[in-house]
Amino acid sequence: MDSSTILTKRFLSINPVNSGEGVYGYSNGLPQLIFNLGNTGLLQTSEVRLSFNLRIVETGTTVNNVDPAKQVSVGFFNGAESVMDEIEISSTNYGRSLERIDHYARMNASVNSALHSKSQYDSHLNHEQGSCGVGITTRQQLDEELLSDAQHFVVNGEVKHQGIIMRNDVQGRECSMRVVCGLFLSQQEISLNDVGGLTLRIKLAPNEAVLSDIAAITGEAAATPSDFHYEIINPRLIAGCVMETPMAQQQRLANQTPTLPFLSYHSFYNNIISTDFQALHKINAAAVISVFSNFIPSKNLNNYNAFSDAQMNPNIQELVFQKDGMRVPLQYELRPEQDRVLTDDDDQPTTFPAVLYHYLSAWGAPADRLKSSINPLISAIRATNDEFGCFGIGASYDTEHQGISGKVANLGFQIKSKLLDPDAGDNTTQTPYSAFSYYLCKQELVVNRGQGVAVVN
């Protein structure tokens, strides 16, 4: 067999280019991670993973907190992914940004809970990044999940809540997770030579957006999470790369202006202060495929005493998706039915099935979602009142995945909601909510060899 026709594949372990003293973190160490993936070979986008050791360190110490009495932890849905606040992928040689996602941890909270069931958290995500999820079908299971020792882990004879499984080693918990972004979800090879190499920049999140006092939230003895901070050590990017044969490389270089279709997420933030609110977003993309949004009381952001990755239900009464004021893609409003017999708002239906159905359609046909944490119980208002949630809204703009034009149009939604304050314990007190929206778009990268790259929206 001619050796020139044999493809070789290698897995690269890439260290950050901003090494410093080897410690990374928001308050201690470097506040961002920067990786250069090189400019040789075909990057296997589905095999890009971020690995590191995560330590939850008490002020004045240098090792991971393993004291079970100090119940400080990361979120249920994201685990170690909570440390990533923003990611950006750009061409190394040409400096052209290809994709940037703000509020990255909020996006992953929806992706993880919508596409993974509780059993998948236990058997998969738990091992990768220490996230345990919340997935139940009855109220009794919910109480057991949050309050009893029946659902806890036991380490070295000590009962430990699922939320604090990060602390199993004084050196920190080793984590390895897939980098979730549109470019790496495109399911294709990327010629690093064509794009001029790739650079991945990760901006780290504030301590109070990562750590929470799990004990205070579950009604147990409280800790003082502000006395702690997180640290990342030994970070590396693991990437699969196929080396081209000389013949394949020659054929590729013969094309002076190659094009590369790829996906990207566009992120937006809105502060909802009115019970009748309209969110409008300028996407500036020729093909918008889908959208999803999640919500959380604004006061819970960057708050040690709240789950930063909770996706709460603001008690939506009416939902309409829009394009320039017209109903798109749904030609009707989504409105949870109200039971006239029930006077207690906590018992009212708050998750009209179509809302959750279209939310799941943001990731493809809902019928293909065989596993998910989304269900009418933990997506309802009662889960929000218990300081956590697993809820969102979303829609698919095109079942054929060709998308609709968002080039000059405004896309968004209009919601009527009660904006109930989960801390008030009544059905009248309101509080502002924050909405995080993510649009999946199809774009094209045009390469001009030796001159640069351009993104065609």
Side-chain angles (χ1 to χ4, degrees):
M1 179 180 295
D2 185 358
S3 60
S4 64
T5 64
I6 301 177
L7 293 175
T8 59
K9 182 178 181 180
R10 57 181 182 174
F11 285 91
L12 309 176
S13 180
I14 305 169
N15 294 323
V17 295
N18 59 331
S19 56
E21 297 181 357
V23 178
Y24 301 81
Y26 185 79
S27 60
N28 187 49
L30 298 177
Q32 65 179 355
L33 296 162
I34 302 176
F35 298 94
N36 286 343
L37 280 77
N39 56 7
T40 304
L42 303 176
L43 178 68
Q44 309 299 293
T45 57
S46 62
E47 297 176 354
V48 180
R49 302 184 66 84
L50 176 65
S51 299
F52 55 82
N53 281 55
L54 178 65
R55 301 191 301 205
I56 300 175
V57 181
E58 189 170 8
T59 303
T61 66
T62 59
V63 296
N64 192 45
N65 170 41
V66 294
D67 184 354
K70 299 174 181 177
Q71 298 192 28
V72 179
S73 180
V74 296
F76 273 99
F77 298 102
N78 277 341
E81 281 183 324
S82 298
V83 304
M84 293 185 281
D85 184 55
E86 173 192 304
I87 71 168
E88 182 177 23
I89 303 173
S90 59
S91 169
T92 305
N93 294 343
Y94 302 121
R96 183 66 165 87
S97 178
L98 305 182
E99 181 176 17
R100 170 179 165 175
I101 305 175
D102 297 320
H103 318 297
Y104 182 74
R106 294 292 309 174
M107 185 190 80
N108 270 344
S110 282
V111 172
N112 288 338
S113 60
L115 303 185
H116 298 87
S117 66
K118 182 62 172 70
S119 61
Q120 287 179 311
Y121 269 101
D122 292 341
S123 62
H124 180 59
L125 294 182
N126 182 280
H127 304 307
E128 288 190 343
Q129 60 204 43
S131 54
C132 59
V134 177
I136 65 281
T137 55
T138 69
R139 181 71 189 183
Q140 180 181 357
Q141 287 178 320
L142 174 59
D143 292 336
E144 291 176 351
E145 180 72 35
L146 289 178
L147 301 178
S148 80
D149 290 339
Q151 299 295 317
H152 295 184
F153 285 92
V154 176
V155 180
N156 297 329
E158 295 286 348
V159 174
K160 298 192 176 188
H161 194 281
Q162 288 200 18
I164 56 174
I165 57 174
M166 309 301 294
R167 55 174 81 180
N168 58 357
D169 193 310
V170 294
Q171 298 301 317
R173 167 69 183 263
E174 185 170 355
C175 306
S176 177
M177 62 210 69
R178 185 177 177 184
V179 178
V180 178
C181 64
L183 184 64
F184 292 164
L185 293 177
S186 301
Q187 299 295 327
Q188 61 183 341
E189 299 175 331
I190 295 180
S191 171
L192 293 174
N193 181 274
D194 283 351
V195 301
L198 287 179
T199 295
L200 172 64
R201 180 183 62 85
I202 301 173
K203 177 184 174 183
L204 299 178
N207 293 314
E208 55 269 31
V210 177
L211 305 179
S212 60
D213 185 356
I214 193 88
I217 297 171
T218 58
E220 303 172 54
T224 308
S226 58
D227 290 342
F228 294 81
H229 63 272
Y230 73 88
E231 294 179 354
I232 291 174
I233 59 173
N234 192 28
R236 61 264 185 216
L237 199 66
I238 309 299
C241 195
V242 172
M243 307 309 295
E244 296 178 286
T245 63
M247 182 179 297
Q249 189 176 30
Q250 184 177 7
Q251 292 175 346
R252 178 177 54 78
L253 292 175
N255 184 358
Q256 293 299 307
T257 57
T259 59
L260 172 70
F262 70 97
L263 301 175
S264 66
Y265 274 109
H266 295 218
S267 53
F268 296 87
Y269 168 81
N270 293 98
N271 188 34
I272 305 177
I273 59 176
S274 171
T275 55
D276 190 347
F277 182 83
Q278 184 182 40
L280 297 176
H281 303 128
K282 189 73 172 180
I283 313 301
N284 192 29
V288 184
I289 297 175
S290 64
V291 62
F292 65 89
S293 305
N294 60 49
F295 309 87
I296 189 172
S298 298
K299 64 181 181 179
N300 285 8
L301 294 173
N302 298 340
N303 186 344
Y304 285 118
N305 295 316
F307 291 124
S308 61
D309 59 355
Q311 309 118 68
M312 296 188 177
N313 185 345
N315 205 333
I316 292 178
Q317 306 297 300
E318 185 177 306
L319 168 63
V320 177
F321 290 98
Q322 297 177 334
K323 177 183 178 181
D324 286 338
M326 306 294 290
R327 294 181 176 182
V328 175
L330 307 178
Q331 300 300 309
Y332 52 88
E333 62 193 26
L334 299 174
R335 180 181 298 172
E337 298 178 357
Q338 295 292 295
D339 192 327
R340 298 179 182 272
V341 178
L342 298 175
T343 58
D344 186 353
D345 230 27
D346 286 349
D347 295 327
Q348 284 285 1
T350 53
T351 53
F352 181 47
V355 174
L356 301 182
Y357 177 89
H358 289 291
Y359 175 49
L360 292 175
S361 74
W363 293 278
D368 295 335
R369 301 273 74 79
L370 302 181
K371 297 285 188 177
S372 176
S373 296
I374 300 296
N375 68 58
L377 181 59
I378 64 173
S379 301
I381 191 64
R382 296 196 67 173
T384 294
N385 290 343
D386 287 334
E387 301 291 350
F388 79 101
C390 187
F391 174 81
I393 63 172
S396 171
Y397 288 112
D398 189 347
T399 56
E400 300 300 323
H401 299 292
Q402 297 304 309
I404 63 172
S405 176
K407 190 71 174 178
V408 297
N410 288 316
L411 299 178
F413 56 85
Q414 182 167 0
I415 60 171
K416 293 182 180 180
S417 61
K418 294 189 176 182
L419 299 180
L420 295 182
D421 186 348
D423 296 326
D426 57 43
N427 299 313
T428 57
T429 305
Q430 297 179 341
T431 187
Y433 272 71
S434 293
F436 299 86
S437 301
Y438 304 90
Y439 291 82
L440 182 62
C441 303
K442 181 180 292 186
Q443 299 180 288
E444 189 173 63
L445 183 67
V446 179
V447 179
N448 221 332
R449 296 196 186 280
Q451 299 183 33
V453 296
V455 176
V456 179
N457 291 320

